[in-house]
Amino acid sequence: MELIDGKATAARIRGELRERAAKLTAQGIQPGLAVVLLGEDPASRSYVTAKEKACGELGLYSRDIRKPAETSEEELLCLIDELNGDPAIHGILVQLPLPSHINSDRVIERIIPTKDVDGFHPVSVGKMMLGQETFLPCTPHGIVKLLEEKNIETSGAEIVVVGRSNIVGKPIANMLLQKTRPGNATVTVCHTGTKSLKEHTLRADIIIAAAGRAGTITADMVREGAVIIDVGVNRVPDDTKKRGYRLVGDVDFEAVKEKSSFITPVPGGVGPMTITMLLYNTVLSAERVLAGRG
Ligand code: GUN
């Protein structure tokens, strides 16, 4: 069994991005990311803080816009219009989930696709499905990079994705079925409507667990030698921890690791790749501007 070290891969890619960002800055285009957060949700706040810190470390410009939860949709849409037209900003990220009085679809659709570094805009999603050049969503893109890093063959592989979210399940399934490499896999997407999850996972060469529920994948559901990618981030109560909980994935790690050929830990697997690919998209966006394609 080999552990897939997301922190190491993230660090390597960030090193490359730092150089690309420095080159762009020397040519007068410092890549800039705007992060918009409404409200005080602690998990969202810590994600946003991590994004800003990562931008600083890579020499990216970051604009941190924090607004109260009561901010109106109209005000948020105006802010996006402003950022769409701001030449210092190459990527716009609106942290989800948004407060319930705001229509997230309308907000995402307002972001100009050339600055949609989350890859959530319908234009980005459509281009991804068609295999056209676009911004790929960060978590699925990070998963693909980890598979590439470990030379894990996807062509012809049976890949079972567990979970059908717009952020992970649906896009990773689409990316892996593209004919180009890495991809060309036979992809099955399982979800809460699947009759026998185990029947599917036992056939898998690669399992991508993105259900958002601890204990979704147990050892009896995994065949010997399978590759396990665990996207889950679940808090389980733990009195031995100062904060009162610990983070676990969707996979029963201790038992499943014995059967797997490769496995991602939680934390330290897929997680560190997500922000890295956000920075990747922001640098790419600035490079497109320099090339006159922004
Ligand atoms: N909330 C949880 N994950 C994400 C993400 O990747 N992007 C945004 N914008 N919000 C999120």
Side-chain angles (χ1 to χ4, degrees), residues 10 14-15 17-22 25 30-36 46-66 88-93 117 138 272 274-283 286:
R14 287 184 193 200
L17 292 175
R18 195 177 299 116
E19 283 177 26
R20 283 164 62 182
T25 304
Q30 183 186 21
L33 174 69
V35 177
V36 182
S46 65
Y47 285 136
V48 166
T49 304
K51 284 164 191 167
E52 283 150 9
K53 183 166 165 271
C55 279
E57 285 166 3
L58 263 63
L60 270 57
Y61 167 62
S62 91
R63 191 176 303 166
D64 164 20
I65 303 162
R66 299 189 187 209
I89 297 298
H90 303 95
I92 302 169
L93 180 141
V117 287
C138 302
T274 298
I275 292 181
T276 302
M277 301 323 291
L278 172 72
L279 304 169
Y280 178 99
N281 280 346
T282 305
V283 170

Side-chain angles (χ1 to χ4, degrees), residues 113-169:
T114 52
K115 298 189 181 186
D116 174 37
V117 287
D118 253 333
F120 291 168
H121 192 286
V123 166
S124 307
V125 177
K127 285 188 171 183
M128 176 201 64
M129 277 202 69
L130 296 168
Q132 295 176 12
E133 186 183 281
T134 182
F135 293 115
L136 296 173
C138 302
T139 301
H141 198 186
I143 293 169
V144 165
K145 288 280 179 193
L146 288 178
L147 294 173
E148 275 186 308
E149 182 83 2
K150 294 294 174 187
N151 292 315
I152 294 166
E153 183 61 87
T154 57
S155 183
E158 291 281 342
I159 300 185
V160 172
V161 176
V162 186
R164 57 177 153 189
S165 70
N166 290 337
I167 294 183
V168 185

